[in-house]
Amino acid sequence: MNILLKNGRLIDPASGRDETCDIHIVDGRIEKLAQNISASGSIQSVDLKGKIIAPGFFDMHVHLREPGFEHKETILTGCTSAAAGGFTAVACMPNTKPAIDDESVIKFIHERAKVALNGLVDVYPIAAVTLGRKGEHLAPLAELASAGAVAFTDDGDPVHDAEIMRRALEYASMFKKPVIQHAQDLPLTKGGVMNEGFNSTTLGLPGMPSIAEDLMVARDIQLARYTNSQYHVAHMSTAGCVELVREAKRKGLHVTCEVTPHHFTLTDDAVRTYDTNTKMNPPLRSQDDVEAMKEGLKDGTIDVIATDHAPHSFDEKQVEFQQAPFGIVGLETAIGLAITELFEKNILSLYQLVEKFSTNPRRILHLPQIKIQEGESANLTLLDPSFEWKVDVQKFKSKSKNSPFSGYVLRGKAVGVFNNGRVYWN
Ligand SMILES: [Zn+2]
């Protein structure tokens, strides 16, 4: 590999840089970073005028489905989907079969990820908080942390028992790991398939009230304060939660959160089609909630954009709304939605977008920041922020096609990614 990236705009929040420059990459390393590097010999030169060079994007909320649900996705197809979407790293969730509650599952995922695309996409397993994600007994957190788990969550289900949550926070903080909560009060959401409100009433579908999410986050913030530990809210969806996290941050607590592209783009009006690709958990909420997500992203309350990439096979979603599983594929539309909904509408700058897609997830998971400088391994995401394209789910690299954004015209796409000596061009 001998590539010269010419005239790109380098945005690197870790070093505070935002400037136009050339980058010469040899065998996966940044050989030279300067203005006007001249191409000589057999160098492949790529003109990146108008395009962005950023530290490799990291999606900290992805379901790779393997082991156990390979008909939905595998580590290989999930990593390919990530690379096509512009990500050089993902953190994968533990609701696999078996769950990631044992170091052997972490080893299995690491081994599979190393050979998938020759390690182009780094995969960081997030382990379960409780054994089998059943919410009853704590998983062996110390063993899981030393095997390489970067965080703990029972994602898909909340850690409902306050005593277990308290212990999880205490133990996880001993290993400097966050506990990530799927915030949902179960009795309040029993049987719910969409947001509770005007639309659920007129559609006659059982609702999940926003208070169910707010209550759980409010409780957890108190527990995080009491135990002086690190807490992260997964896929936040309500205005109430944004306010709770804003207040917790104001008080100096170690509380962070993420939002998905679908929660800052769509409202529960989308469910009126009865399209099962609008069924997710937490559900699509109201316009006020969407506005709160944008406000939270803008003022820094919301640290991270994560996709909650949740592939399901065609047959699984091809059923009545109430029977369908929750979740949509997210990796390949995330950048387009973020640029279309946030950058184009002046909510976030490209610099802030790079922070939420790259710098912040690494900070929250205590992973080293990427260094874009001479001598360092090239871990880069290349973006074209003005490229217009139409979402064609049949072209997804993910094994699944369940997306509510089919046919959407978006602006902004990944041009390619570099990582671990590998390159992927879109
Ligand atoms: Zn999830």
Side-chain angles (χ1 to χ4, degrees):
M1 188 207 283
N2 191 354
I3 297 175
L4 178 60
L5 305 174
K6 293 280 291 177
N7 309 314
R9 176 177 160 198
L10 173 65
I11 299 180
D12 180 17
S15 63
R17 285 221 306 240
D18 185 349
E19 65 200 39
T20 302
C21 66
D22 297 350
I23 300 181
H24 183 197
I25 298 167
V26 180
D27 296 331
R29 295 213 158 266
I30 299 173
E31 176 85 10
K32 196 164 184 205
L33 193 158
Q35 287 180 349
N36 300 316
I37 304 174
S38 51
S40 60
S42 62
I43 305 182
Q44 180 197 351
S45 180
V46 181
D47 187 21
L48 292 179
K49 196 170 174 1
K51 311 212 173 30
I52 309 294
I53 302 172
F57 280 11
F58 190 123
D59 187 347
M60 68 178 284
H61 193 142
V62 166
H63 297 271
L64 293 178
R65 302 300 192 203
E66 187 179 0
F69 304 98
E70 290 81 356
H71 64 289
K72 299 173 194 269
E73 195 82 287
T74 63
I75 290 168
L76 173 61
T77 59
C79 285
T80 311
S81 182
F87 295 91
T88 64
V90 298
C92 62
M93 290 292 165
N95 35 355
T96 48
K97 204 174 171 187
I100 309 178
D101 62 0
D102 180 288
E103 65 178 328
S104 66
V105 188
I106 292 182
K107 278 188 187 142
F108 168 82
I109 292 168
H110 279 152
E111 276 161 27
R112 280 292 161 96
K114 223 183 293 166
V115 294
L117 307 172
N118 290 313
L120 173 70
V121 176
D122 297 314
V123 176
Y124 296 94
I126 294 178
V129 174
T130 64
L131 284 173
R133 297 175 47 259
K134 291 199 175 86
E136 292 160 2
H137 306 284
L138 269 187
L141 304 192
E143 176 189 316
L144 290 160
S146 68
V150 292
F152 300 101
T153 187
D154 275 356
D155 185 50
D157 292 299
V159 179
H160 217 270
D161 185 304
E163 164 66 4
I164 290 176
M165 189 62 177
R166 174 202 168 166
R167 296 294 170 209
L169 286 163
E170 282 173 346
Y171 284 125
S173 71
M174 287 163 59
F175 322 116
K176 270 196 90 179
K177 309 279 180 204
V179 175
I180 300 174
Q181 177 71 296
H182 170 118
Q184 178 185 359
D185 184 85
L186 292 173
L188 275 171
T189 55
K190 200 167 177 209
V193 296
M194 69 172 291
N195 182 46
E196 181 181 284
F198 175 78
N199 281 322
S200 66
T201 307
T202 54
L203 295 172
L205 292 171
M208 300 163 95
S210 58
I211 188 73
E213 189 170 323
D214 301 354
L215 282 179
M216 190 58 91
V217 171
R219 180 203 77 174
D220 288 346
I221 288 172
Q222 292 304 315
L223 287 171
R225 185 187 58 81
Y226 187 72
T227 57
N228 190 25
S229 54
Q230 187 187 352
Y231 172 71
H232 179 82
V233 188
H235 44 47
M236 167 184 281
S237 74
T238 69
C241 278
V242 177
E243 193 43 46
L244 285 163
V245 172
R246 188 176 284 131
E247 190 55 33
K249 285 188 168 185
R250 206 176 286 145
K251 288 179 181 154
L253 304 183
H254 200 173
V255 172
T256 54
C257 64
E258 70 194 29
V259 67
T260 71
H262 46 277
H263 286 116
F264 64 65
T265 303
L266 299 173
T267 67
D268 63 1
D269 284 347
V271 183
R272 301 184 73 85
T273 59
Y274 285 104
D275 178 1
T276 55
N277 292 322
T278 63
K279 183 175 175 181
M280 53 277 283
N281 187 4
L284 298 171
R285 303 282 187 187
S286 70
Q287 191 61 45
D288 285 350
D289 295 305
V290 170
E291 296 308 321
M293 294 308 131
K294 291 183 170 173
E295 195 49 47
L297 282 160
K298 198 182 176 98
D299 72 9
T301 301
I302 303 179
D303 307 85
V304 164
I305 298 169
T307 68
D308 192 9
H309 178 79
H312 293 292
S313 73
F314 181 76
D315 294 349
E316 289 166 312
K317 279 282 196 183
Q318 199 64 10
V319 294
E320 273 181 55
F321 197 89
Q322 276 173 266
Q323 269 69 57
F326 293 103
I328 63 166
V329 299
L331 286 162
E332 292 167 70
T333 48
I335 288 174
L337 288 165
I339 289 175
T340 305
E341 290 296 318
L342 305 175
F343 172 64
E344 294 268 310
K345 295 183 179 170
N346 290 318
I347 311 288
L348 296 181
S349 65
L350 289 170
Y351 191 93
Q352 288 171 306
L353 270 184
V354 173
E355 287 180 315
K356 295 188 198 289
F357 270 120
S358 181
T359 326
N360 292 349
R362 287 189 167 84
R363 173 174 52 77
I364 290 165
L365 297 173
H366 306 283
L367 296 169
Q369 291 295 344
I370 291 163
K371 293 193 179 111
I372 304 181
Q373 57 193 44
E374 289 173 10
E376 294 291 332
S377 172
N379 186 335
L380 307 171
T381 290
L382 312 182
L383 297 177
D384 184 345
S386 53
F387 184 78
E388 201 173 87
W389 60 291
K390 193 173 182 174
V391 178
D392 177 355
V393 296
Q394 295 311 321
K395 289 190 180 147
F396 280 174
K397 304 293 179 197
S398 169
K399 208 167 193 177
S400 294
K401 315 293 174 202
N402 51 307
S403 167
F405 300 112
S406 176
Y408 269 56
V409 175
L410 301 178
R411 251 168 118 79
K413 204 173 202 278
V415 175
V417 293
F418 285 78
N419 190 26
N420 291 326
R422 308 283 153 191
V423 59
Y424 184 97
W425 294 112
N426 252 341

